[in-house]
């Protein structure tokens, strides 16, 4: 392990807002806009949404704080942060497995995340060319099928997306991230509000969409639905993959970790809920099914853009902004392995980015092919895309999260936690109870209930 320490002011983000934006940039992405509506649709709406929000509060927020504490207290990449903490405590290096697991998970997630982000770029481009104008929802649906059946088109857009991610990341934290996010994230938020206005006033189905999301029937809560809600809570907050641990290393010492965690979780959840309130009314208005799967966002929204005046331009802007939200998330997924490789091999950041990003791109091709040429190739009954998505959501993220919680709650020195969290003792004890007991026990119960 090299002794390089990125605490110098050069490497800490230079304002309070920049860290919040970067952390929110990591959290807000395809998970909110693409995945939340489609998973909520598949698991029947209300009860799933309720469980998801419960997991955000009980597991997500405490864990977000724990990951950030680990990163900031050591000011190193996740793996070296864990190594430092375990060696200071004189305990088994087996705990460092948390960081290995996080690096593996963030890598695997990025391999399919980039493919879906490629879909958004493809849609932005096609909308700009006016391709969808006047198409019926059925025609828009078969266009989507055409995209996933085409290995070459998906490979092209996956390559464009990874290329941009590598380029921006290689330029370094300051230059790459700060300026853009301050403008893009609020713009995306405004556009989502505008589109929610469309769903509210132009579809005639807003209340039906609303009821789908918020009326809950507990009989819908199968073990699998609860597990999916938990996986989604981890995914959407970028937890269990060491992304926020890596970012924590750059967080200024005077930023409040609890306040940041609450802000990020609130913004992230708000974006997901708004996305659902945009998508479901459109789905109903166009006679589609909420359970349509990964194409839900693309087919429903594009059908709306196809029929509204100026829809091509609005749609183009929308998908570009979603692509940018995905970019700021993708950058955070590269960071755990990247930070470690630069420390370990004294490699330049740019070279390490190209190396890791290139590997992600290559493995990502398996996801592209799983939709078409390799659709018959099954491992554990799943094609690559489903295998990677399920393995991360249902197992790796919760496992990484639970181990992180156990480490932070039971193993780390209390003085470090107290110093980093700066909360009053009542709040601190609530956090400690959540992180020591509620997080690990819930993960365990959900895994057991889903497997039995
Ligand atoms: N949290 C982000 C999202 O919801 C990414 C998940 C990093 C992998 O899109």
């Amino acid at each position: 392990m090299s002794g390089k320490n990125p605490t110098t002011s050069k490497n800490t983000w230079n304002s309070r807002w920049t860290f919040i934006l970067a952390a929110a940039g990591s959290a807000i992405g395809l998970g909110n806009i693409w995945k939340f509506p489609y998973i909520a649709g598949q698991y029947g709406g209300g009860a799933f949404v309720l469980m998801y929000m419960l997991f955000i509060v009980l597991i997500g927020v405490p864990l977000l704080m724990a990951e950030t504490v680990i990163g900031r207290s050591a000011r190193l990449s996740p793996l070296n942060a864990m190594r430092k903490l375990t060696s200071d405590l004189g305990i088994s290096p087996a705990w460092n497995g948390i960081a290995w697991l996080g690096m593996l998970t963030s890598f695997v997630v990025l391999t399919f995340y980039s493919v879906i982000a490629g879909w958004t770029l493809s849609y932005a481009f096609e909308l700009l060319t006016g391709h969808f104008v006047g198409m019926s929802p059925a025609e828009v649906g078969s266009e989507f099928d055409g995209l996933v059946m085409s290995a070459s088109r998906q490979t092209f857009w996956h390559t464009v997306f990874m290329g941009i991610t590598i380029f921006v990341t290689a330029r370094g934290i300051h230059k790459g991230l700060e300026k853009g996010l301050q403008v893009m994230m609020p713009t995306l938020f405004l556009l989502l509000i505008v589109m929610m206005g469309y769903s509210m006033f132009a579809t005639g189905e807003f209340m039906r969409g609303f009821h789908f999301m918020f009326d809950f029937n507990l009989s819908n809560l199968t073990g699998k639905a609860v597990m999916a809600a938990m996986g989604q809570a981890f995914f959407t907050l970028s937890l269990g993959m060491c992304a926020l641990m890596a970012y924590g290393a750059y967080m200024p010492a005077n930023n409040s970790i609890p306040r940041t965690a609450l802000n990020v979780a609130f913004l992230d959840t708000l974006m997901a809920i708004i996305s659902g309130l945009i998508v479901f009314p459109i789905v109903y208005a166009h006679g589609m099914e909420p359970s349509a799967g990964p194409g839900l966002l693309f087919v429903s929204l594009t059908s709306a853009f196809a029929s509204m005046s100026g829809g091509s331009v609005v749609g183009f802007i929308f998908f570009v902004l979603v692509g940018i939200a995905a970019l700021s998330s993708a950058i955070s997924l590269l960071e755990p392995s990247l930070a470690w490789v630069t420390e370990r091999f004294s490699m330049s950041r740019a070279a390490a980015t190209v190396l890791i990003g290139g590997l992600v791109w290559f493995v990502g091709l398996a996801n592209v092919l799983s939709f078409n040429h390799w659709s018959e190739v099954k491992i554990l009954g799943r094609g690559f895309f489903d295998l990677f998505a399920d393995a991360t959501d249902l197992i790796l993220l919760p496992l990484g999260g639970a181990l992180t919680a156990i480490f932070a709650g039971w193993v780390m020195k209390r003085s470090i936690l107290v110093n980093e969290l700066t909360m009053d003792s009542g709040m601190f004890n609530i956090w400690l109870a959540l992180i020591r007991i509620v997080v690990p026990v819930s993960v365990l119960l959900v895994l057991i209930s889903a497997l039995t």
Side-chain angles (χ1 to χ4, degrees):
M1 163 179 23
S2 94
K4 262 192 227 155
N5 185 339
T7 40
T8 51
S9 57
K10 180 165 122 321
N11 277 321
T12 44
W13 271 313
N14 55 19
S15 81
R16 179 171 117 75
W17 280 104
T18 312
F19 181 80
I20 293 183
L21 275 165
S26 165
I28 295 166
L30 297 172
N32 314 61
I33 298 163
W34 159 73
K35 190 153 175 253
F36 173 77
Y38 109 69
I39 302 270
Q42 280 184 331
Y43 288 99
F48 171 92
V49 174
L50 183 75
M51 287 311 293
Y52 158 77
M53 296 214 272
L54 214 66
F55 285 131
I56 293 279
V57 174
L58 292 180
I59 297 186
V61 173
L63 206 49
L64 219 158
M65 290 162 60
E67 281 204 21
T68 319
V69 166
I70 295 177
R72 191 170 75 177
S73 66
R75 295 242 180 255
L76 290 164
S77 68
L79 181 59
N80 286 335
M82 289 301 300
R83 282 181 173 157
K84 177 171 185 298
L85 293 171
T86 50
S87 82
D88 286 354
L89 287 163
I91 57 169
S92 159
W95 285 105
N96 304 338
I98 292 177
W100 286 111
L101 191 65
M103 286 197 279
L104 172 74
T105 312
S106 52
F107 182 95
V108 173
V109 168
L110 189 52
T111 66
F112 66 82
Y113 201 83
S114 166
V115 175
I116 312 296
W119 294 357
T120 69
L121 299 184
S122 160
Y123 269 74
F125 175 76
E126 303 246 311
L127 277 152
L128 186 67
T129 61
H131 180 71
F132 292 102
V133 175
M135 277 191 192
S136 69
E139 287 166 329
V140 173
S142 48
E143 287 291 316
F144 176 77
D145 296 341
L147 174 64
V148 293
M149 289 310 292
S150 166
S152 57
R153 278 170 65 199
Q154 286 185 93
T155 301
F156 175 77
W157 291 109
H158 163 59
T159 308
V160 171
F161 183 79
M162 272 321 291
I164 298 173
T165 305
I166 291 170
F167 177 77
V168 172
T169 309
R171 290 184 62 201
I173 287 163
H174 284 81
K175 283 175 271 168
L177 272 181
E178 276 178 12
K179 290 178 215 109
L181 287 179
Q182 290 179 7
V183 183
M184 305 295 180
M185 300 304 287
T187 314
L188 175 63
F189 186 71
L190 281 182
L191 192 61
L192 286 175
I193 299 284
V194 170
M195 308 234 335
M196 191 169 72
Y198 172 86
S199 280
M200 216 176 253
F201 300 112
T203 60
E205 295 286 4
F206 187 73
M207 285 323 288
R208 202 165 151 209
F210 186 90
H211 285 300
F212 177 76
M213 275 183 65
F214 296 113
D215 289 355
F216 58 89
N217 176 354
L218 287 180
S219 64
N220 281 345
L221 272 190
T222 56
K224 255 207 110 188
V226 177
M227 200 171 175
M230 188 170 77
Q232 175 62 12
F234 280 101
F235 188 95
T236 193
L237 290 178
S238 309
L239 296 172
M241 39 192 144
C242 292
L244 292 171
M245 202 184 280
Y247 273 13
Y250 311 115
M251 184 187 197
N254 58 359
N255 269 25
S256 156
I257 291 179
R259 205 175 311 138
T260 306
L262 282 171
N263 281 336
V264 169
F266 174 75
L267 282 176
D268 187 81
T269 309
L270 190 66
M271 296 286 238
I273 299 292
I274 294 176
S275 301
L277 289 175
I278 295 171
V279 168
F280 292 117
I282 298 179
V283 162
Y284 286 126
H286 290 286
M288 294 156 50
E289 285 300 322
S291 60
L296 188 73
L297 174 83
F298 295 93
V299 180
S300 63
L301 259 61
T302 307
S303 299
F305 294 137
S307 63
M308 71 173 77
S309 70
S312 295
V313 177
V314 181
F316 165 73
I317 298 174
F318 174 77
F319 281 114
V320 167
L321 289 175
V322 174
I324 290 168
L327 175 66
S328 58
S329 299
I331 290 170
S332 78
L333 293 175
L334 271 184
E335 192 61 34
S337 344
L338 181 59
W340 174 66
V341 169
T342 43
E343 285 169 3
R344 171 71 180 75
F345 300 105
S346 310
M347 204 184 256
S348 76
R349 191 173 163 90
T353 310
V354 173
L355 177 76
I356 298 168
L359 275 175
V360 168
W361 173 83
F362 182 70
V363 179
L365 296 177
N367 290 309
V368 166
L369 292 169
S370 72
F371 292 112
N372 37 69
H373 300 302
W374 289 0
S375 61
E376 300 301 315
V377 180
K378 303 272 183 218
I379 298 169
L380 302 173
R382 295 165 170 84
F384 281 106
F385 172 77
D386 289 331
L387 181 75
F388 288 169
D390 283 354
T392 47
D393 249 22
L394 306 181
I395 299 168
L396 297 177
L397 297 178
L399 188 66
L403 291 174
T404 308
I406 294 171
F407 180 77
W410 296 97
V411 183
M412 270 177 85
K413 276 201 200 113
R414 203 182 167 103
S415 58
I416 297 185
L417 302 175
V418 171
N419 277 344
E420 290 291 340
L421 289 173
T422 54
M423 293 190 277
D424 69 49
S425 66
M427 292 308 284
F428 180 82
N429 286 332
I430 294 177
W431 174 80
L432 202 59
L434 290 171
I435 210 78
R436 282 187 156 180
I437 298 165
V438 175
V439 176
V441 171
S442 323
V443 170
L444 197 72
L445 287 180
V446 173
L447 289 182
I448 290 174
S449 78
L451 295 176
T452 48

